[in-house]
Amino acid sequence: MKNICIVVGARPNFVKVAPLLRAIQRTESASFQLVYAGREDDPTLEPSLFEDLQMPRPDCYLGADSLRLNEVTAQVMGAFDSYLDAHEADVVVVVDDLASTMAAAITAKKRGRRLAHLVAGTRSFDISMPKEINRLVIDALSDYLFTAGVRSNSVATREQQTDLSQTFMVGNILMDQLRFCRDRLRRPAMEVKEGEYLLLTLNRRVLLGNETRLASLLQVLNKENTAGMKVIAPLRGEASSVVKGLVGEDSALQIVSPLSYLEFGWLSAHAAGVITDSGNVSEEATWNGVPCITLNSYTEHIETVSVGTNVLVGEDPVRLSEELRRMVSGQWKEAALPDRWDGRSAERIVQVLIGK
């Protein structure tokens, strides 16, 4: 029996590990323990999340609680080291590129555990970004590199630090969860008609921290540019308060409270278009075949641009305006699903883990 420890660093990671847990539960060759880097009372983990994802709550909470990345790293390393004192783990699986993810990866390797990185090989090639440093460290330490696409697979293979590292293009595991939830999405309690609204999400701290730049982007989202369609924005915490202070009278924005996973999934799947600064949201748009504008100059998964429905406009209001008009006029590009975005990534991952 292979003991698999899965470490989650933040709310979006739960969406990616839920399919992996289900795949492990379907085999008799492995068991898992789920570890969360944060606190049990983390306000971002709404009560409905685990029910919506059809997954168990974490077996252990490491209790990290700080906005300072180096403090998070230290807190997670100390707490996860103590966890490994008391629990068997043949392999530790870490997700994405957070400070907590890097901390768990370093601790696992120092304790002699096999390490697997889920969503490996993603790069911005901007070393000034803390997440880029996290990605480099995690991939360099990992024994198993599970990548989502051709580009990230090439990066991971090229940068392997030892002959023992192995790269596997398993596809985008986020698609597994979207496939699983396709018939379970829940229409939110608001006045919306399918295909007659736009969806906006904002989360990137760099963008939220520059109110002048953000205001210039939000000004584009007026009723004229959206052809009268409202722009529904289910924003959390800081994003909600910042955007509310920048919205003008002619804005098409309708800021609403954060939604459950299944409610947000319904809005994302039935929108006329999506405007976001989130990689995960742009990936969902490609799965749903919905036009997507990303307010960033790069994406971790370039397949969403080269094959899917995504277009990058950076933080340029002129480019946003141009693409927005194409979006609302129905003149969007042809798109398809990238290779292996078929909703079966978790099965491939488990086959690798139990076979080694």
Side-chain angles (χ1 to χ4, degrees):
M1 177 74 72
K2 184 76 61 88
N3 297 310
I4 302 173
C5 174
I6 300 170
V7 183
V8 173
R11 184 184 187 277
N13 297 163
F14 285 105
V15 181
K16 296 181 180 180
V17 303
L20 184 57
L21 303 188
R22 289 193 294 270
I24 295 172
Q25 288 172 329
R26 290 194 294 267
T27 179
E28 297 179 353
S29 303
S31 63
F32 69 82
Q33 280 215 317
L34 181 62
V35 176
Y36 180 48
R39 308 189 322 265
E40 188 167 2
D41 62 348
D42 186 331
T44 68
L45 306 184
E46 69 270 17
S48 65
L49 177 64
F50 299 100
E51 180 181 350
D52 285 352
L53 297 176
Q54 293 287 284
M55 66 177 292
R57 291 178 175 274
D59 300 290
C60 174
Y61 297 83
L62 300 181
D65 182 19
S66 176
L67 295 177
R68 299 175 65 87
L69 299 182
N70 288 339
E71 288 181 2
V72 169
T73 302
Q75 291 171 1
V76 171
M77 289 183 72
F80 191 49
D81 192 49
S82 297
Y83 171 87
L84 292 176
D85 282 337
H87 298 86
E88 292 292 328
D90 297 309
V91 59
V92 174
V93 179
V94 296
V95 189
D96 286 338
D97 51 16
L98 302 173
S100 54
T101 307
M102 180 184 68
I106 293 172
T107 304
K109 290 304 291 183
K110 284 188 173 183
R111 297 295 300 266
R113 303 302 199 272
R114 303 286 282 176
L115 179 66
H117 187 196
L118 183 55
V119 197
T122 59
R123 295 289 185 275
S124 67
F125 301 102
D126 180 358
I127 200 65
S128 68
M129 292 178 58
K131 284 188 176 182
E132 185 73 355
I133 297 171
N134 298 342
R135 294 164 184 158
L136 290 166
V137 172
I138 299 164
D139 280 356
L141 294 176
S142 294
D143 302 288
Y144 311 118
L145 298 166
F146 295 120
T147 67
V150 174
R151 182 190 183 192
S152 55
N153 200 73
S154 299
V155 169
T157 301
R158 184 175 65 248
E159 294 183 359
Q160 282 181 6
Q161 300 297 306
T162 72
D163 293 336
L164 298 177
S165 298
Q166 298 184 72
T167 301
F168 305 88
M169 195 176 87
V170 296
N172 191 332
I173 198 168
L174 180 62
M175 304 306 113
D176 293 42
Q177 189 63 28
L178 296 177
R179 178 171 173 256
F180 177 75
C181 291
R182 183 163 43 196
D183 298 326
R184 301 173 54 245
L185 299 179
R186 188 162 56 244
R187 188 187 190 110
M190 63 177 68
E191 292 294 326
V192 287
K193 293 183 179 180
E194 296 182 22
E196 296 186 11
Y197 63 90
L198 303 176
L199 176 64
L200 171 70
T201 77
L202 292 170
N203 185 58
R204 202 156 48 94
R205 288 184 182 177
V206 173
L207 181 54
L208 292 172
N210 189 329
E211 293 192 8
T212 301
R213 186 176 301 166
L214 180 58
S216 68
L217 294 170
L218 294 176
Q219 286 170 7
V220 176
L221 304 180
N222 56 57
K223 294 174 184 177
E224 179 182 354
N225 287 341
T226 64
M229 281 193 283
K230 58 186 172 184
V231 181
I232 300 175
L235 303 178
R236 295 177 179 273
E238 178 187 2
S240 179
S241 60
V242 169
V243 172
K244 284 179 181 177
L246 299 175
V247 173
E249 292 184 1
D250 65 340
S251 177
L253 276 178
Q254 178 181 324
I255 301 172
V256 300
S257 299
L259 301 172
S260 72
Y261 176 78
L262 295 180
E263 289 173 328
F264 180 84
W266 190 95
L267 277 185
S268 179
H270 294 95
V274 173
I275 305 158
T276 185
D277 61 359
S278 164
N280 287 350
V281 174
S282 67
E283 292 161 37
E284 289 186 29
T286 282
W287 168 264
N288 291 320
V290 173
C292 180
I293 296 171
T294 295
L295 305 174
N296 208 338
S297 57
Y298 85 98
T299 174
E300 288 86 351
H301 297 294
I302 196 62
E303 303 95 324
T304 62
V305 176
S306 60
V307 179
T309 64
N310 191 20
V311 170
L312 305 178
V313 300
E315 297 172 1
D316 185 342
V318 174
R319 291 196 60 202
L320 172 59
S321 179
E322 293 171 350
E323 298 300 338
L324 183 60
R325 287 173 180 166
R326 291 190 183 96
M327 178 179 282
V328 300
S329 65
Q331 299 178 357
W332 209 247
K333 62 179 180 175
E334 294 292 326
L337 278 179
D339 186 26
R340 296 201 183 183
W341 287 34
D342 55 5
R344 293 181 171 84
S345 298
E347 298 169 17
R348 300 182 184 109
I349 292 169
V350 171
Q351 288 174 0
V352 171
L353 293 178
I354 65 176
K356 300 296 181 179

